[in-house]
Amino acid sequence: MITFGKIKSVKGEISVPADKSITHRSFMLGAMAEGSTRVTNPLMSRDTIATMEAMKALGAEFIPAENGFVVVSKGYRAFNEPSDVINCDNSGTTARLISGLIAPAGVYAVLTGDDSLRKRPMKRVIKPLSLMGSRMEAASNGTLLPLTILPSKMHGADITGETKSAQVKSAVLLAAAQIEGHTTYTEPASTRNHSEIMLKNFGADISVNGKTVIVNGGRPLTGTDAAVPGDFSSAAFFIGAALIFEGAEITIKNVGLNETRTGLLTALSSFGVKFELNYYENTIEPMGDIHIKHQSFRGGKVDGELIANLIDELPLLAFLGLFADSPVEIRDAHELRVKESDRIAATLYNLNQLGAETEEFEDGMKIYPLKKEPVQAHLRSFFDHRIAMLSILMCKRFGEKVSVDEIQSVDVSFPNFVSILEEIENK
Ligand code: S3P
């Protein structure tokens, strides 16, 4: 069991690591494009390294350059057949998106992943890609990794998405961009739109009409510059820290503020939380600084369309329920059950350890404010990076009576989480 000394507060200015979603896509589009793509400030973590290795297996070169890489590729028309199984490690984004990226390439490829990823649903991408003519076989009656992609002749299609998932949408779009013909994808809720923005930048014929994305595929993509902003989902832990530690005041620099990602700010505003955003000018993805001070706040209900825009921040929001003046209720979040862990079960396990009053729903949870400090709590990360980071925050908030079983999993998205926290903590 790991413990941390109790800290009094957090104060100062930090930068968080680069955006995981945008780094994955920069590496993938760099490989799909012809020529050189300069990727500046990519996130180097377990998840994004899995994507980089997969792109190398298809023939892309990653040449180290100042603060990043130049990805050099002959483009999607010249992808190699991978000579071995592709290991997506813990990364759902890698597995889902490259299913779509490889499907039209006319190669035989096998994808697998770690224990957690091999339990996560793949049917959600297999189904729409099959409607576009792909041939795929997967374990467990076509639902789980390992997944085999067979050469096929794919075609455009009109697809209505069944899952509120940017990963599913992106798998379809990365395939559609390569296929001669017209594809539309209509999503059930607006999810993160980094793939749409980046495909356009790389020269794809793509447009968006409400919740429908339209792609006329088969055009070559051209290498370009991709500068990766700080990850809002990593910044979120420090927004949370500001609300958890009395006297806190934090500025987080260079954060991606794409509205399809910042649902946490919308939810917190509805709880009465005040913060400042200072946007930078002339950036492809909206970007800026977040300034927030400790303050008291009420709880509230978070549900409906907003859920897709704070999907990775929902466990944090649940933990904030401990410190709110009234309960926090999260609904319509069934997707949390199939993340790196069952994040409803994992979050509630830890909150209950801390002595909180909670309620569990199939699609969410309700957390009541903590009435007294925990006497003793053994938290578990469930080998899920985001649950591990929240556990670390609780350890630092309550001191050595709270412990966590492992924290190595933070390497998946935020390898230097503890050292950045240490930069701004007051003991
Ligand atoms: C991601 C999309 C989300 C998110 C994940 C990253 C992406 O998954 O949870 O961490 O980069 O597209 P879903 O789209 O499946 O909800």
Side-chain angles (χ1 to χ4, degrees):
M1 279 290 177
I2 300 160
T3 55
F4 292 87
K6 183 170 178 160
I7 62 173
K8 284 204 196 89
S9 193
V10 284
K11 239 185 184 48
E13 188 176 291
I14 51 164
S15 293
V16 288
D19 190 278
K20 184 154 74 71
S21 291
I22 298 178
T23 301
H24 280 300
R25 287 157 173 81
S26 305
F27 290 171
M28 290 181 196
L29 284 162
M32 284 171 66
E34 291 171 22
S36 300
T37 293
R38 175 85 176 89
V39 184
T40 314
N41 187 38
L43 170 71
M44 297 312 286
S45 73
R46 258 177 63 197
D47 268 16
T48 54
I49 289 169
T51 290
M52 182 171 79
E53 292 303 323
M55 295 305 104
K56 286 185 188 168
L58 294 169
E61 270 185 275
F62 283 70
I63 301 167
E66 205 194 328
N67 192 19
F69 292 96
V70 177
V71 186
V72 179
S73 179
K74 296 199 182 81
Y76 65 78
R77 294 170 200 214
F79 276 154
N80 295 339
E81 184 163 87
S83 60
D84 200 352
V85 170
I86 294 179
N87 188 349
C88 303
D89 197 4
N90 190 246
S91 174
T93 308
T94 309
R96 273 70 172 262
L97 268 64
I98 72 173
S99 297
L101 182 149
I102 298 176
V107 299
Y108 174 93
V110 181
L111 312 184
T112 191
D114 72 1
D115 285 350
S116 149
L117 189 56
R118 279 185 281 108
K119 294 194 189 87
R120 296 181 62 189
M122 289 300 291
K123 186 97 190 173
R124 51 181 59 199
V125 287
I126 297 173
K127 199 170 165 195
L129 292 170
S130 303
L131 293 173
M132 299 163 78
S134 76
R135 290 169 61 219
M136 292 179 171
E137 287 168 2
S140 211
N141 207 14
T143 59
L144 300 178
L145 294 174
L147 173 115
T148 302
I149 300 168
L150 299 162
S152 64
K153 177 99 188 90
M154 291 180 67
H155 50 77
D158 293 317
I159 298 182
T160 303
E162 293 173 6
T163 317
K164 295 172 187 167
S165 164
Q167 293 180 349
V168 176
K169 170 177 66 176
S170 301
V172 170
L173 299 182
L174 294 184
Q178 303 176 48
I179 301 166
E180 292 290 343
H182 181 84
T183 297
T184 64
Y185 182 85
T186 304
E187 49 179 349
S190 295
T191 62
R192 65 190 70 191
N193 61 359
H194 307 303
S195 298
E196 295 89 310
I197 293 172
M198 293 182 74
L199 275 163
K200 196 163 193 67
N201 268 347
F202 278 78
D205 180 349
I206 181 168
S207 56
V208 180
N209 182 4
K211 292 199 177 77
T212 301
V213 190
I214 303 135
V215 180
N216 289 305
R219 285 169 51 150
L221 301 179
T222 314
T224 183
D225 285 350
V228 188
D231 196 323
F232 181 81
S233 296
S234 297
F237 293 99
F238 294 93
I239 296 173
L243 295 173
I244 288 172
F245 291 98
E246 270 180 38
E249 181 164 2
I250 303 182
T251 301
I252 315 163
K253 307 283 290 177
N254 305 323
V255 187
L257 294 171
N258 179 320
E259 279 186 7
T260 61
R261 291 289 297 283
T262 54
L264 177 71
L265 299 179
T266 312
L268 290 178
S269 295
S270 77
F271 293 180
V273 174
K274 301 270 183 285
F275 49 81
E276 270 170 42
L277 302 178
N278 295 307
Y279 285 88
Y280 307 158
E281 278 173 24
N282 302 325
T283 56
I284 296 169
E285 287 265 359
M287 213 177 141
D289 300 338
I290 304 171
H291 181 77
I292 182 163
K293 284 185 190 170
H294 182 74
Q295 56 198 281
S296 61
F297 59 101
R298 58 179 178 269
K301 189 170 180 182
V302 179
D303 59 358
E305 293 247 337
L306 187 62
I307 290 294
N309 305 130
L310 79 165
I311 191 73
D312 292 335
E313 287 64 70
L314 289 168
L316 166 69
L317 201 66
F319 273 82
L320 288 178
L322 299 178
F323 305 94
D325 296 335
S326 57
V328 167
E329 183 174 351
I330 296 165
R331 298 303 288 254
D332 302 322
H334 194 270
E335 274 296 301
L336 287 183
R337 298 262 180 211
V338 291
K339 293 294 177 189
E340 286 82 331
S341 66
D342 173 342
R343 286 185 172 161
I344 295 176
T347 301
L348 289 176
Y349 175 90
N350 287 321
L351 293 174
N352 292 336
Q353 283 292 312
L354 291 164
E357 189 189 336
T358 60
E359 284 176 56
E360 177 168 6
F361 310 111
E362 192 40 36
D363 67 342
M365 50 195 147
K366 186 165 181 178
I367 299 91
Y368 292 81
L370 202 58
K371 292 203 186 86
K372 56 177 175 39
E373 290 248 327
V375 183
Q376 204 178 36
H378 299 302
L379 308 183
R380 289 178 61 194
S381 75
F382 298 86
F383 298 99
D384 179 328
H385 54 128
R386 301 203 192 279
I387 305 296
M389 288 186 271
L390 291 169
S391 301
I392 294 170
L393 283 180
M394 292 303 110
C395 290
K396 297 222 177 219
R397 173 67 174 73
F398 294 116
E400 276 158 27
K401 57 193 170 197
V402 176
S403 61
V404 54
D405 61 346
E406 76 82 40
I407 56 168
Q408 200 61 52
S409 48
V410 303
D411 289 353
V412 160
S413 66
F414 199 160
N416 56 347
F417 175 69
V418 172
S419 62
I420 292 197
L421 190 54
E422 280 170 0
E423 276 175 29
I424 54 166
E425 62 191 32
N426 302 336
K427 295 232 165 67

